[in-house]
Amino acid sequence: IASSWRQSVVQVTNVSPSTTSEQMRTLFGFLGTIEELKLFPPDDSQMPVTSRVCFVKFQEPESVGVSQHLTNTVFVDRALIVVPFAEGLQKQPPR
């Protein structure tokens, strides 16, 4: 189950500070069914930021590959960077 979670998540960086989670949900919702979406810092954060990060978990792992085609798409006022996210994988120390 954990491996399918890892294969179903993308990390979106260079997200405009004015972008809302609802806007991200609309954009990525065209590519597949979204199970979960997290935008950091959250919409209600008072913290000043120059850029935001979004994690999108799709129901179908195939949506990860398709969503990578949005890299360099200008959304609001920034070119998005979309990469697969391997959550929970930590580098093992060399033996």
Side-chain angles (χ1 to χ4, degrees):
I1 293 175
S3 64
S4 69
W5 200 93
R6 285 192 293 271
Q7 296 169 352
S8 300
V9 179
V10 292
Q11 177 182 9
V12 186
T13 55
N14 200 37
V15 178
S16 174
S18 62
T19 302
T20 66
S21 55
E22 194 54 42
Q23 289 172 316
M24 295 300 286
R25 187 172 294 280
T26 300
L27 177 66
F28 284 89
F30 287 109
L31 307 176
T33 304
I34 296 173
E35 274 188 32
E36 191 175 356
L37 184 141
K38 299 277 186 186
L39 187 60
F40 296 99
D43 290 336
D44 57 2
S45 174
Q46 299 302 311
M47 191 168 49
V49 293
T50 57
S51 186
R52 300 174 94 181
V53 176
C54 185
F55 295 92
V56 182
K57 179 181 179 187
F58 290 102
Q59 223 171 40
E60 308 85 10
E62 300 79 29
S63 298
V64 170
V66 175
S67 67
Q68 290 178 74
H69 291 284
L70 287 181
T71 293
N72 290 326
T73 297
V74 176
F75 188 66
V76 181
D77 62 354
R78 302 277 177 89
L80 300 177
I81 301 166
V82 183
V83 296
F85 182 68
E87 191 274 335
L89 290 182
Q90 297 183 1
K91 290 186 179 178
Q92 298 295 322
R95 296 180 181 212

